[in-house]
Amino acid sequence: STGAVKMQPKAEELKFVTKNDGYVHIHPSSVNYQTRHFESPYLVYHEKIKTSRVFIRDCSMVSVYPLVLLGGGQVHMQLHKGEFVISLDDGWIRFVAASHQVAELVKELRCELDQLLQDKIKNPSMDLCMCPRGSRIIGMIVKLVTTQ
């Protein structure tokens, strides 16, 4: 038959964008350097260095829900062109929610998690798995992340 098969990019061609540095590349010494496809377009990294260009090392792919629930900054929701958009980091990272209800639930879960972590900081001896509120929040997050 005729047609073309889409080729995965070469390792040196794969690049990501950061808010402050623009395009970055995975360092050749990184375990993920030869990875040519990530299920999610988001990576977290430990180290960023600049040599011939900006590289990241010690990186891992992160999917949307862990990023929304555990990422820094406030979570915002807005209606944009008929779609409900969840945004992080002052709108630099944005996701389209399946519905208004999903967006509200994710935002509320993030608020509950933030409050739970604040309570844990105030009371370090608190066992999050034994307190009913903590175990429900943690259980919901585990279910959401593992079934996404």
Side-chain angles (χ1 to χ4, degrees), residues 27-95:
H27 195 273
S29 67
S30 175
V31 171
N32 284 325
Y33 180 70
Q34 292 298 324
T35 303
R36 295 168 59 175
H37 174 74
F38 294 93
E39 292 296 318
S40 171
Y42 303 101
L43 296 180
V44 293
Y45 61 90
H46 176 68
E47 185 177 29
K48 180 172 55 174
I49 58 171
K50 184 174 184 178
T51 55
S52 58
R53 52 187 171 177
V54 180
F55 291 99
I56 56 174
R57 286 199 283 214
D58 304 325
C59 60
S60 295
M61 184 202 74
V62 63
S63 56
V64 173
Y65 285 127
L67 187 60
V68 171
L69 295 172
L70 303 168
Q74 295 292 315
V75 174
H76 299 282
M77 187 193 65
Q78 64 187 24
L79 182 62
H80 181 72
K81 295 183 180 179
E83 296 180 314
F84 292 96
V85 177
I86 299 171
S87 65
L88 301 168
D89 200 13
D90 298 324
W92 193 74
I93 300 173
R94 297 183 298 164
F95 311 99

Side-chain angles (χ1 to χ4, degrees), residues 7 26 30 54 136:
M7 298 287 291
I26 298 175
S30 175
V54 180
R136 281 194 313 269

Side-chain angles (χ1 to χ4, degrees), residues 15-25 41-43 45 92:
K15 55 189 172 185
F16 293 87
V17 179
T18 66
K19 185 176 181 180
N20 298 326
D21 297 298
Y23 289 109
V24 298
H25 302 267
Y42 303 101
L43 296 180
Y45 61 90
W92 193 74

Side-chain angles (χ1 to χ4, degrees), residues 103-144:
E104 285 291 345
L105 288 172
V106 169
K107 183 178 177 185
E108 186 62 30
L109 185 57
R110 169 65 187 264
C111 290
E112 289 291 327
L113 177 60
D114 288 348
Q115 185 58 54
L116 183 65
L117 293 175
Q118 287 295 326
D119 294 347
K120 177 67 174 173
I121 290 169
K122 290 177 188 170
N123 182 7
S125 63
M126 182 172 88
D127 186 344
L128 297 179
C129 293
M130 295 305 288
C131 88
R133 180 172 162 262
S135 64
R136 281 194 313 269
I137 293 169
I138 292 169
M140 182 57 65
I141 290 169
V142 168
K143 185 175 181 180
L144 184 64

